[in-house]
Amino acid sequence: MYSRLTIVSVASALAVTAVCAQDKPQLTVDELVAKNVGAKGGADALRALQSIRHNGKMLVNEGQIQLAYAETKKRPDEVRTETTLQGMTAVEAYDGKAGWRISPFQGRKDPERMSADDVKPLMEDAEIDGPLVNWKEKGSTLEYVGREDVDGTSAYKIKVVRKNGDVNFVYLDPDHFLEIRILSQRVRHGAQEETETDVGDYEKIGGVFLPFSIESGRKGDSDKQKVVIEKAEANVPVDDAIFHFPTTASK
């Protein structure tokens, strides 16, 4: 059992820590972005990572259904994801200009072009670095809006307004300065949509720390889909054709 002296000492130490935290100067948005870049591996390592291939599993319906998952990204802004179950594979792809999908689970086996609204999440997924790196070149604006609790962590919160008007709130872990949550606000088909994505289990691939756990869904929805990465390969050769709309539909 703790003695009264021990309890008083711990309380005093916590009080001193709290005072020091209050006296510590606030980081600027540029300093937070610089720490995020450094935490990921540094600007040189990020530039050197030109493509990445992920393989793993996707869990849906509260983990009751498991699908095989594969994702390929290539700079500057191409991405293709595949989810497979019982011999059927759903595809979503973006080639930097337009997006398309194949949806066999909805009975549509031929590729279909995606609307400008539907392709917005893919455009963000195509970013190997995330929304903060090279934000000026992307035409975004950033604002540090303070600290906010994320499942018990007092995270740094940065508001990102993209060139197309969509908004991301990026939450950085206060110790490691890596993303732990991204809240995305978009207007899709005339309605406001909020998507919450929690990321974690970072591992170093090709000199860059990337999340191996991605859980996403509508804000407030308890049943979110979770992607668990089991294997990642950096700077793999990628044929650009896999991102482009197929010239012939499958029969």
Side-chain angles (χ1 to χ4, degrees):
M1 180 179 292
Y2 288 112
S3 67
R4 181 178 181 277
L5 179 60
T6 301
I7 294 173
V8 171
S9 298
V10 171
S12 299
L14 291 175
V16 170
T17 301
V19 171
C20 291
Q22 290 175 357
D23 292 341
K24 186 177 179 180
Q26 291 291 334
L27 293 171
T28 67
V29 69
D30 287 332
E31 289 171 332
L32 287 170
V33 171
K35 287 182 175 294
N36 179 250
V37 171
K40 289 180 175 180
D44 290 342
L46 287 167
R47 281 192 294 268
L49 184 59
Q50 291 295 306
S51 67
I52 188 161
R53 180 179 295 141
H54 289 137
N55 291 95
K57 58 188 177 183
M58 176 185 285
L59 306 174
V60 298
N61 286 4
E62 298 183 345
Q64 297 180 43
I65 300 176
Q66 178 175 309
L67 302 88
Y69 178 86
E71 180 185 62
T72 303
K73 296 182 182 182
K74 183 179 179 181
R75 292 194 189 277
D77 47 15
E78 297 175 305
V79 63
R80 176 187 175 113
T81 63
E82 300 180 5
T83 50
T84 301
L85 179 68
Q86 297 179 349
M88 294 189 297
T89 299
V91 178
E92 287 192 344
Y94 175 68
D95 64 7
K97 296 180 180 179
W100 57 277
R101 61 161 62 106
I102 299 174
S103 308
F105 303 120
Q106 285 75 47
R108 300 191 293 275
K109 297 183 179 180
D110 287 335
E112 303 171 307
R113 297 190 185 276
M114 298 173 69
S115 70
D117 279 355
D118 287 338
V119 82
K120 286 181 176 182
L122 273 182
M123 293 170 64
E124 296 182 15
D125 288 343
E127 297 174 335
I128 291 177
D129 307 324
L132 299 183
V133 179
N134 296 326
W135 59 274
K136 293 180 182 178
E137 290 85 342
K138 296 172 183 176
S140 301
T141 60
L142 263 60
E143 178 187 1
Y144 172 49
V145 291
R147 305 283 283 266
E148 188 170 310
D149 180 81
V150 177
D151 297 332
T153 296
S154 179
Y156 292 102
K157 182 179 181 181
I158 300 174
K159 181 180 181 180
V160 181
V161 181
R162 294 178 175 270
K163 184 167 59 175
N164 64 1
D166 290 345
V167 176
N168 299 135
F169 288 98
V170 180
Y171 298 83
L172 301 180
D173 178 87
D175 298 318
H176 305 290
F177 297 96
L178 291 168
E179 291 92 338
I180 56 175
R181 173 173 292 172
I182 299 176
L183 177 63
S184 300
Q185 297 178 339
R186 312 182 188 95
V187 175
R188 294 179 67 187
H189 309 297
Q192 182 76 18
E193 176 186 84
E194 283 192 311
T195 302
E196 196 171 68
T197 302
D198 289 338
V199 295
D201 296 338
Y202 281 82
E203 293 191 24
K204 199 170 190 178
I205 304 297
V208 175
F209 281 98
L210 298 170
F212 271 48
S213 173
I214 305 101
E215 190 170 358
S216 62
R218 292 183 182 274
K219 184 180 180 182
D221 191 347
S222 59
D223 183 17
K224 298 179 180 179
Q225 69 178 28
K226 183 174 183 178
V227 171
V228 178
I229 304 301
E230 298 170 327
K231 179 182 178 181
E233 302 169 274
N235 292 322
V236 292
V238 179
D239 184 354
D240 283 336
I242 70 170
F243 305 109
H244 298 309
F245 188 82
T247 55
T248 57
S250 60
K251 300 296 182 182

